[in-house]
Amino acid sequence: MTQLELQAFLAVTRTGSFSQAAQSLFVSQPALSRRIRTLEEELGFRLLERQKGSRLVEPTLEGRAFLPMAEHLLSIWEEAR
């Protein structure tokens, strides 16, 4: 789990969109998707529900439970820096 992966997850949950999150982080949408996929693989569950035919993305039940932890981990990283 990296700081970039956590930032990607939090940006998608804030914006509700992969493209808007990618834009806010100044990365390509495929790069953002890879970060999220890598984080999901490491955790062993899906964090985001991607709707076919819709650009809106919502956190899964597990994603909602992980959200406060992701925010906390990111704050620890920033504090350590």
Side-chain angles (χ1 to χ4, degrees), residues 1-2 5 35-45:
M1 181 177 321
T2 68
E5 292 164 359
R35 290 176 186 175
I36 298 290
R37 188 171 40 254
T38 301
L39 182 59
E40 289 176 331
E41 288 171 1
E42 183 176 339
L43 292 171
F45 51 83

Side-chain angles (χ1 to χ4, degrees), residues 21-75:
Q23 192 173 33
S24 74
L25 294 173
F26 305 102
V27 298
S28 69
Q29 191 274 327
L32 182 87
S33 293
R34 278 191 300 276
R35 290 176 186 175
I36 298 290
R37 188 171 40 254
T38 301
L39 182 59
E40 289 176 331
E41 288 171 1
E42 183 176 339
L43 292 171
F45 51 83
R46 292 187 64 96
L47 293 167
L48 300 166
E49 192 65 46
R50 300 151 178 93
Q51 301 290 333
K52 292 242 184 225
S54 173
R55 292 181 182 223
L56 295 179
V57 179
E58 293 186 359
T60 62
L61 183 61
E62 293 88 354
R64 285 191 295 275
F66 182 68
L67 188 59
M69 188 178 300
E71 291 169 336
H72 182 69
L73 287 170
L74 193 57
S75 73

Side-chain angles (χ1 to χ4, degrees), residues 75-81:
S75 73
I76 289 171
W77 250 308
E78 291 170 356
E79 191 176 313
R81 205 177 348 145

Side-chain angles (χ1 to χ4, degrees), residues 6-27:
L6 292 172
Q7 287 173 334
F9 170 65
L10 293 172
V12 172
T13 59
R14 275 188 231 110
T15 63
S17 162
F18 274 81
S19 58
Q20 288 180 11
Q23 192 173 33
S24 74
L25 294 173
F26 305 102
V27 298

